[in-house]
Amino acid sequence: MQYLGRIGAGIMVLGFFLPWINILIIKFSGFDILKMMIGVAGEEGLSLPGYAYGIPLMLILPAYALASNKAPILRIAGVFPFIYLGVVVLMVASSLGGMPPMEMAGIGLWVTLLGGICAFVGSYKVDTPTNDEDISEGPADADPENPV
């Protein structure tokens, strides 16, 4: 159970490369969207909309959480997809008009959200001692015959 946060972060990294958007036969992963944003902005010299800068964070935060295994980073990485994708889905849904956003969601989006739940729940298991560790004994290098 202590590795649930890392497993969730790994699932989120995997979900970034799976299809997020399915529109009929067109599928885009988070990585595809990131490549398109960089290509369009680089070729035409355009500035990206503010919400577009969150897409790289969908990969960077879980990758850093996976490497560091620190509870606050796991919590941020676990909550960020829900907040970010909630805002973006509402913006996209209002601009598209007809197509419901849940019909466009691909497996990668659901895997990313599942990984976010695992990372957030697992972050509370990172700092707690396991049953093998007895925190009442004191430091391991203490001399039991010579108490201070």
Side-chain angles (χ1 to χ4, degrees), residues 13 15 25-27 39 54 56 68 70 81 94 102 105 112 114 133 137:
V13 170
I25 59 170
I26 302 170
K27 296 180 180 186
S68 70
K70 294 181 181 174
S94 66
M102 291 310 192
T112 301
L114 175 69
E133 301 172 9
E137 289 181 11

Side-chain angles (χ1 to χ4, degrees), residues 64-128:
Y64 182 66
L66 182 62
S68 70
N69 197 31
K70 294 181 181 174
I73 304 299
L74 284 167
R75 288 182 190 127
I76 292 169
V79 168
F80 182 74
F82 289 95
I83 295 170
Y84 178 73
L85 292 174
V87 170
V88 170
V89 164
L90 290 176
M91 293 173 88
V92 168
S94 66
S95 67
L96 288 179
M99 189 167 197
M102 291 310 192
E103 289 182 14
M104 295 186 315
I107 187 72
L109 197 63
W110 299 115
V111 167
T112 301
L113 293 175
L114 175 69
I117 292 170
C118 291
F120 185 77
V121 171
S123 70
Y124 289 98
K125 302 293 181 184
V126 170
D127 296 331
T128 58

Side-chain angles (χ1 to χ4, degrees), residues 33-58:
I33 295 169
L34 182 61
K35 285 192 310 186
M36 285 188 294
M37 286 184 343
I38 292 171
V40 168
E43 289 175 4
E44 300 177 9
L46 299 173
S47 63
L48 297 173
Y51 64 86
Y53 292 105
I55 298 225
L57 289 176
M58 295 289 287

Side-chain angles (χ1 to χ4, degrees), residues 2 12 62:
Q2 65 183 356
M12 290 173 67

